[in-house]
Amino acid sequence: MAGYELLSEQNLRLDGRKADELRRIQCKLGVFGQADGSAYLEQGNTKVLAAVYGPHEIYRHGAGGASRPTLTATSNEQAVINCQYSAAVFSSGERKRRPRGDRKSQEMSMHLRQTFQAAIKTELYPRSQIDIYVEILQADGGNYCACVNAATLALIDAGIPMKDYVCACTASLMNDRPVVDINNLESTTGGPELTVAVMAKSGEIVLLEMSQRFHVDHLEKVMDLAMEGCQNIYHILDKEVRAHVSKRGSLLGWEAT
Amino acid sequence: MLAHKTFLKKTRRGKILKVVREHYLRQDLHCGWKACAHCAVAAPSEASVEAPLNTPLTPPEVSPCEAVASPHLLILDTNVVLDQIDVLESGHLADVVLLQTVVQEVRHRSSPIYKRLQDLLAQSQRRFYFFVNEHHADTFVARRPGETPNDHNDRAIRRAALWYRQHLGWAVVLLTQDADNRQKAQAQGLIALSVETYVRGLVDQPELADKLAVRAEQAHDLTRPALFPEHWAPAAINRGVKNGQLLVGVFYLSRTNYTQASINVEGRDQPVLIQGLAHQNRALDGDRVAVELLPAPEWRAESEVVLEDDGQDPGDTITEDHAVSGSTSRQVQPSGKVVGIVQRKRRQYCGVLLPSPVPQATRHLFVPAEKKIPRVRIETRQVQRLTGQRIIVTIDAWPRHSRYPQGHFVRALGPIGDKATENEVLLLEHDIPHSKFSEAVLACLPELPWVITPQDESERVDCRHLDICSVDPPGCTDIDDALHCIQLPNGNFQVGVHIADVSHFIRPNTPIDLEAASRSTTVYLTDRRIDMVPGLLSSNLCSLRGGVERFAFSCVWEMDPEARIIQTKFHKSIIKSRAALTYEQAQNRIDDPSDETSVTQSLRQLMSLSKILKQRRLDQGALVLASSEVRFTVDSETADPIDVQVKQMRDTNSMVEEFMLAANISSAKRIFQEFPDCAMLRRHPAPPPSNFDPLVKAGKRQGYEIKVDSGKALADSLNAATDGKNAYFNTMLRMIATRCMMQAVYFASGTIEEPLFQHYGLACPIYTHFTSPIRRYADVIVHRLLAASIGADSTYPALLDKKSTQNIANNINYRHRMAQYASRASVNLHTHMFFRNKKRDEIGYVLFVRQNAIQVLIPKYGLEGTLYLRSDTDKSIAFHFDEDEPSQSCGDVTIRLFQKLRVQLTLDSSNVQHEKLVLRLVEPHIPGFSVEAISDDETSMEEEAPLAGSTPSSKIEANAKPTRKRSSPQNSKATPKAKKGKKS
């Protein structure tokens, strides 16, 4: 029978969410000992690990990331951000041939670097480098968003000064109604997809991407919903950060001081 | 709460994938009873935009059914919805919960039934509630390993039923046709019944039982001998198609012979011939079927026999004697037999009841109005009431042992012969939406009195000073085009085509817009017009009537005296038509040398320009095709037809047409340039050469070579083929040519390659419809695109989406075709009425020669009839059929193709249910077969006059308006198009 009914008359999506509901988000900070900062995040069935190293001295020959930092005049004034996105070969339904280095991963790495270049106070660390590694363990739509959210947590865990939380969220359009945080099924069968990453408190947009054209009449409402989604994600992340810090703090006995 | 759905899926390339999907379970779904105190959330209000609760359940006070003691709620199983949708639609069942599980399964199994179910759910008075059981935390049922989907669904349904009983505390009745499911439900303490038991138990609706569908397992009676071979299982069909053993295509029953059908298989240029009922194997016209080719020695040629299935129920036998008589001497065609039906195209059928000769019987035969559909056996207890009525019946099953399919009664329309009923049948049979416009639609109309505001004036070009006039058929009230022409100082002409600005009143996505999109076209029946937009717009505010100020969308050209377009401009304007003329009035004004008014002068200029335009078009290879068009003179009191005339064509018709064509072409170019992806265009594909075979053959018999390799060659050879002795010969050839053509269709420009845009009939590379937005929805879209391109209006999402434009185009194409069929059927209906109690001798021409009959064209009525060549009285009369000639001879009389005959027309009313027009031969006289001419005073003998009237017209496209526009139903002139306008 023809297609799926992505958004029913009852305002329910195929997976039972309403149009303005996010998928379940679960996250954890400090999952690795080796890295300076790390986080694990699940957004529905999309699962991501993020690890942050640095700031450290600039490697002339980087670890082989897609967007390898180069020594330029600017690196004398601010930290260089190195991002590497990779998706595990088992992350999608069909096994991937190579986990990183393909065009899609390179593009994703570049987007991530741009995003965090804007959010991290890079001017505090001239002549140094910060590495962000994200690994998709399971992909179910909104990969970029999950990476940004996880990397934000990892950066916080690493104690790197940032201007703000960066939160990212997708939105799309179904039956001319906006829907937030779309999963893989919805993004492959549905309409255009809008991805936005914002500084949560200031509301500044760090990255905005559309997979297809939206009609201008729809853009505003889709945008609004995506921004609202980012805010909701921010609250979830913030809650987790506070819980994590208070747990660490209580272990160190900060209540006593 | 969260659950996961995990399943394996096979990709197109054959890989096996594991798919994991989230499945959220909710607490906030409402049970549907408005006053429910147990639900965690408040009942959604009726006004809620997100999920309106438009169908609140209400606790019944008494049980409506004898089979259940207490008042109760109904929960349906999928098979109930699929089989018994007519019972659900009858409105006698209420407080029904439709579970998501059920609705989704219905959606997978049958999209038409799913649509009807959606409509049901949308009606608030029905008290059908849609419950999302699969996402409700308490009713979700996880699939067990190894459980079949069917068992899982049944379990989910039972779980939901139990939950409802406990949640609301009412009795819950589960209706299911599945005995196993019933048993399990009863074991769990539920009341489970079959629909039959429940419906027969309903106290006050005894006739509802007639609507019960025959279930497949009841219908199949294995004890009786099978007439038809078994259908293959879907898996076997798939395998067969893959390994090339089977072909799949759409099954088309022959129009003249019910035992013969053809199947067009994609990728094969010759259709597969199916002969005989057993080989048809219960396929209905329009079904997608799988066929197996017969071995080549069994291939046959198409039978020329004309056969109709009539008479009483022959019982469960098939007689195949005429079926296989298709001779093998002529060119044989690949023949095959149907082995299975891939996709059914069943719908509800209108028709009449043929009561069983056995009194008190409950099983009767139903005769559909559509001749291509077999008779249907139905069961009813209301024979007395239904005899003499037009009724609607649905086909349920066609078991192997049964000569006819089995079905059930749906509803009665009204008495046979009653005009309203007959029109209703016509509209239903052609799927034409004809209900009154809803409140929501009418609310979109502008308020009266309608005035032009200063803002309108500032946004539009003021053309009120121009001498604009409109030229239309008499009595036309929906005038959508007007013209003007003035000579410019530089010797060129300014020519303006002003089209009613419908898109100003019909804004996108309003209820009126959706309704117009769904109707897509105004339908012209002989005595009725079914408007696309409400009358206030179609006959008043949009209609460019004389002497009033109206909004228009203008296309203004500068043309040089050679009618070459120098410049084209589009703008919205305000016009004031000086006069709304008829073709005749306009012609008279042009011809009257003393008339020197400016309107007349501009008409003369238009006329001279149009002649140049037309000549140029013909030189480029535009086709001039023929179709006979008639108009009925209708009695103003009884609305019965009194007389029939063939429509007359004047120069002014062609003048208007030329400018409309030019305007359409200019708009097509403009919108395609601005919106290369989503322009609504119209194309007319060149027919495959094999389509022309009948035409080439027919020409050859008369010694003319018809070249068909290009439109230009065809046009030239048609022009050359004239017969001094038979003035009508050329027209007939053109009629045959018309039938060789493909259908012209609308499409979105982004969906196909540009070279395919061509319009074959008009010989132009790009074309669209711009000039009749009042009666065609495609024009409304074109107006919107044009308005957006000149900055006069804004776009909206669907307008710029090629997918949605293509969907609109598909719907328009479908409605358009149906509207044509309906108009033709309406003409037939009126022809029948006209011939009631009349007998006429008329001139006719042989259009086709068949094995046992000849098709005769009667130009005077634009009518085509079958003259059966067998004598009722004298069995010794035998015709010899020469298929190479082709001719039929009897004694020394030979009847050849295109020959002029005199035939007698009467209406055979012996069978009130199925009136038909009967032709009898008068001249040439064949003793024992021909009938005597009736006396002269009864006969209309104006032989050549009507022929002159039906001159070939180039009415292929443009404004087909002249042929079909008419005024209100009360008006006495009607001009529908008769017969085969395959094109426009």
Side-chain angles (χ1 to χ4, degrees), chain B residues 605-622:
Chain B
Q605 284 159 352
L606 286 169
M607 180 61 90
S608 66
L609 288 171
S610 78
K611 288 193 168 146
I612 306 172
L613 283 172
K614 180 165 188 183
Q615 193 51 48
R616 189 176 308 140
R617 218 162 47 76
L618 294 180
D619 290 345
Q620 281 164 359

Side-chain angles (χ1 to χ4, degrees), chain A residues 5 8-10, chain B residues 32 46 51-57 74 76 81 85 88-89 93 95-104 106-107 113-132 164:
Chain A
E5 193 184 24
S8 73
E9 299 268 314
Q10 287 69 33
Chain B
E46 273 161 63
L53 180 63
N54 49 13
T55 54
L57 305 170
L74 287 174
L76 309 179
V81 180
I85 185 83
L88 300 183
E89 277 178 345
L93 301 185
D95 296 304
V96 176
V97 173
L98 282 163
L99 302 175
Q100 183 193 15
T101 313
V102 171
V103 175
Q104 266 172 6
V106 169
R107 187 177 140 92
I113 292 183
Y114 175 70
K115 261 190 211 128
R116 287 163 74 182
L117 195 61
Q118 289 282 331
D119 289 346
L120 264 179
L121 282 166
Q123 294 170 7
S124 53
Q125 70 279 18
R126 281 294 169 84
R127 305 211 302 270
F128 276 42
Y129 181 70
F130 179 83
F131 181 63
V132 193
Y164 257 101

